[in-house]
Amino acid sequence: MSRVFKFGGASVKDADGVRNVERVLRLHEKDPIVVVVSAMGKTTNALEKIVASFFNQTDEWTVILEDLRRQHHAVMEDLFPRKEHTVYQEVEHVFLQIKLICQGRPDPDFNVNYDRIVSYGEIISTRIISAYLNDQGWKNTWLDARKLIKTDANHRFARVNWNFTEILIQQTIQADQNYVIQGFIGSDDNLHATTLGREGSDYTASVIAYAINASDVCIWKDVPGVLNGDPKVFNDVTLIEQISFREAIELAYFGASVIHPKTIQPLQRKNIPLYVKSFLNPENEGTCIGKGTHLSPALPIFIHKTDQGIVKLSTRDLAFIVEENLSLIYNIFHRLGARVNLMQNSAVSSRFCINNDPITTPILMDELKKHFEVEFIPNIELFTIRHYNDEARKSIRKNRKVLMEQITPSVWQVAVSGG
Ligand code: ASP
Ligand code: MG
């Protein structure tokens, strides 16, 4: 039975990262594997900047694109000493395509441009990785996710068309072969590129695993597995060995960055376990997300989200905000793809802690101002503790100014002003 391995941007950020992918695959030589890969390093961020520049018709994109080209070229020179290698042409061709798009006219819909351009990051990384693995004797077929992952035309946040996707994947992927495919990207009915939301590659891995009834999914990361907090933010974090599907869905919902929120559901439906392991210590056990114990060991889980903002809304005529306006407000948030993480109401005003997305927030503010008095506080951090205790809460409260707070029997959340 096939397995699905996913390597994120950090694991393939340079030539050594790509070599390490081969090392990991060698440890599992007996198993046929579908390898799902993200764009290298910070490529997606750079491509987002290119889209913004193209859309606003500035020429900043030329410099960023050339930088990206140079970075990928350096990786290739390290991995492919032979200059005649076809991978050079393949990658060059992609950069040329991006350039041609940027020299043309942008589509009036920002998100269409976004998907057209940003999706190339994964095309480039998989071209390089597939070619390198084949050269090293790990024989694999490069697949184009735009031909297999079918979605609606909701650009930048596309939803998978399950029936269609399942059929295409089952027709293409054979149980005894190895493959390399892009995460994060797909296409709509008109074959226009779409993307599944930032960090969407985990989701792709789970969609594929579902379609082929994979034995498991393995996400290779730069941490030993799922920890009970981000080691960059919290001291003394501990590796969690086992998490139930249900607990994992909750954690992802609250923003634990280890797993993309939508990733777990398809796996749960088919009871396919998901392992999170370290690509630096690939022999170690890591974390298993699957059926069974909710959480082992049972510890408070700390989740930290930056880039938050608080939207304060009040009605102009002192009308009650909850009864009369809540559906309108949520409609606007939903339509513009703004994610609400925390909410609090008084009689005539509401506060929402949202992901402060540089593209979405200004549009959101304009829209809300049509109906309400609006105030926006940027630079907010959101802390969530699942299975909290007093000590855990105290550690977060210390030296921080709390602007919103919410508590349930299992979850404690505070929005604080950023440092
Ligand atoms: N490359 C995309 C991103 O950075 C998708 C992913 O990494 O999962 O958001
Ligand atoms: Mg990425």
Side-chain angles (χ1 to χ4, degrees), residues 56-125:
N56 297 321
Q57 294 286 286
T58 68
D59 41 48
E60 204 192 336
W61 65 265
T62 51
V63 183
I64 308 169
L65 187 62
E66 187 47 35
D67 258 7
L68 262 189
R69 205 182 74 93
R70 230 179 292 127
Q71 285 164 24
H72 283 89
H73 219 83
V75 173
M76 287 195 291
E77 280 173 0
D78 201 330
L79 296 174
F80 309 102
R82 219 166 37 84
K83 283 283 138 29
E84 308 75 50
H85 200 300
T86 48
V87 72
Y88 284 99
Q89 279 160 27
E90 285 162 359
V91 170
E92 197 53 41
H93 180 73
V94 177
F95 279 105
L96 193 65
Q97 273 173 307
I98 302 174
K99 192 169 167 186
L100 287 173
I101 294 172
C102 291
Q103 285 169 341
R105 279 188 152 293
D107 187 284
D109 180 349
F110 177 88
N111 291 350
V112 170
N113 303 288
Y114 182 99
D115 284 353
R116 271 185 92 187
I117 293 174
V118 170
S119 54
Y120 283 122
E122 269 72 10
I123 298 291
I124 299 169
S125 65

Side-chain angles (χ1 to χ4, degrees), residues 332-368:
I332 296 173
F333 282 133
H334 180 73
R335 186 157 44 82
L336 298 176
R339 161 77 192 249
V340 177
N341 296 313
L342 205 60
M343 165 190 165
Q344 247 157 29
N345 295 308
S346 77
V348 295
S349 72
S350 286
R351 288 180 172 209
F352 301 85
C353 178
I354 62 165
N355 289 354
N356 185 7
D357 178 274
I359 299 166
T360 311
T361 304
I363 309 170
L364 178 71
M365 291 303 119
D366 286 347
E367 195 59 34
L368 290 169

Side-chain angles (χ1 to χ4, degrees), residues 6 8-9 38-39 41 44-45 114 118 122 183-184 197-202:
K6 181 260 177 175
S38 302
T44 305
N45 293 359
Y114 182 99
V118 170
E122 269 72 10
F184 178 54
R198 285 302 306 262
E199 309 302 325
S201 295
D202 292 0

Side-chain angles (χ1 to χ4, degrees), residues 32-219:
I33 298 174
V34 180
V35 177
V36 177
V37 189
S38 302
M40 291 177 153
K42 301 270 178 241
T43 301
T44 305
N45 293 359
L47 289 168
E48 283 189 339
K49 289 198 185 116
I50 290 174
V51 180
S53 158
F54 166 53
F55 191 69
N56 297 321
Q57 294 286 286
T58 68
D59 41 48
E60 204 192 336
W61 65 265
T62 51
V63 183
I64 308 169
L65 187 62
E66 187 47 35
D67 258 7
L68 262 189
R69 205 182 74 93
R70 230 179 292 127
Q71 285 164 24
H72 283 89
H73 219 83
V75 173
M76 287 195 291
E77 280 173 0
D78 201 330
L79 296 174
F80 309 102
R82 219 166 37 84
K83 283 283 138 29
E84 308 75 50
H85 200 300
T86 48
V87 72
Y88 284 99
Q89 279 160 27
E90 285 162 359
V91 170
E92 197 53 41
H93 180 73
V94 177
F95 279 105
L96 193 65
Q97 273 173 307
I98 302 174
K99 192 169 167 186
L100 287 173
I101 294 172
C102 291
Q103 285 169 341
R105 279 188 152 293
D107 187 284
D109 180 349
F110 177 88
N111 291 350
V112 170
N113 303 288
Y114 182 99
D115 284 353
R116 271 185 92 187
I117 293 174
V118 170
S119 54
Y120 283 122
E122 269 72 10
I123 298 291
I124 299 169
S125 65
T126 50
R127 281 289 186 202
I128 294 173
I129 289 161
S130 169
Y132 178 76
L133 294 173
N134 269 324
D135 283 4
Q136 302 308 308
W138 194 82
K139 290 297 170 200
N140 70 90
T141 305
W142 181 87
L143 294 175
D144 188 338
R146 294 168 301 188
K147 297 198 175 128
L148 298 178
I149 307 288
K150 297 307 296 181
T151 70
D152 64 8
N154 184 23
H155 287 279
R156 210 147 81 83
F157 309 98
R159 284 169 293 242
V160 170
N161 176 335
W162 281 91
N163 293 339
F164 206 5
T165 299
E166 204 176 350
I167 293 168
L168 289 169
I169 289 179
Q170 285 172 358
Q171 282 172 350
T172 309
I173 293 184
Q174 271 151 40
D176 57 348
Q177 305 283 312
N178 296 319
Y179 299 90
V180 173
I181 187 169
Q182 311 76 40
F184 178 54
I185 72 174
S187 71
D188 67 11
D189 289 344
N190 298 314
L191 295 176
H192 294 144
T194 54
T195 58
L196 308 175
R198 285 302 306 262
E199 309 302 325
S201 295
D202 292 0
Y203 184 50
T204 305
S206 107
V207 170
I208 294 173
Y210 180 93
I212 63 173
N213 293 311
S215 59
D216 63 347
V217 175
C218 217
I219 297 182

Side-chain angles (χ1 to χ4, degrees), residues 203-352:
Y203 184 50
T204 305
S206 107
V207 170
I208 294 173
Y210 180 93
I212 63 173
N213 293 311
S215 59
D216 63 347
V217 175
C218 217
I219 297 182
W220 298 92
K221 295 187 76 86
D222 57 359
V223 287
V226 178
L227 303 167
N228 77 325
D230 181 345
K232 291 182 202 109
V233 185
F234 304 99
N235 304 325
D236 299 330
V237 290
T238 307
L239 177 71
I240 305 288
E241 286 149 27
Q242 159 77 34
I243 308 178
S244 67
F245 284 123
R246 189 183 171 153
E247 177 71 24
I249 288 171
E250 293 285 353
L251 293 177
Y253 170 80
F254 288 112
S257 58
V258 278
I259 328 131
H260 190 270
K262 289 188 293 188
T263 304
I264 309 294
Q265 272 116 350
L267 300 177
Q268 181 187 23
R269 264 185 276 147
K270 287 210 175 164
N271 196 13
I272 299 171
L274 170 71
Y275 295 92
V276 181
K277 293 187 181 222
S278 159
F279 60 73
L280 301 169
N281 300 295
E283 292 92 350
N284 292 0
E285 290 290 325
T287 302
C288 174
I289 299 168
K291 240 170 138 172
T293 331
H294 268 332
L295 202 60
S296 156
L299 289 170
I301 310 271
F302 293 78
I303 301 162
H304 175 237
K305 284 183 85 142
T306 54
D307 299 328
Q308 302 291 297
I310 292 179
V311 183
K312 291 208 242 174
L313 300 181
S314 42
T315 50
R316 295 207 171 100
D317 51 4
L318 292 185
F320 287 120
I321 199 145
V322 175
E323 279 84 354
E324 284 148 55
N325 297 294
L326 215 51
S327 75
L328 168 69
I329 298 169
Y330 263 94
N331 221 302
I332 296 173
F333 282 133
H334 180 73
R335 186 157 44 82
L336 298 176
R339 161 77 192 249
V340 177
N341 296 313
L342 205 60
M343 165 190 165
Q344 247 157 29
N345 295 308
S346 77
V348 295
S349 72
S350 286
R351 288 180 172 209
F352 301 85

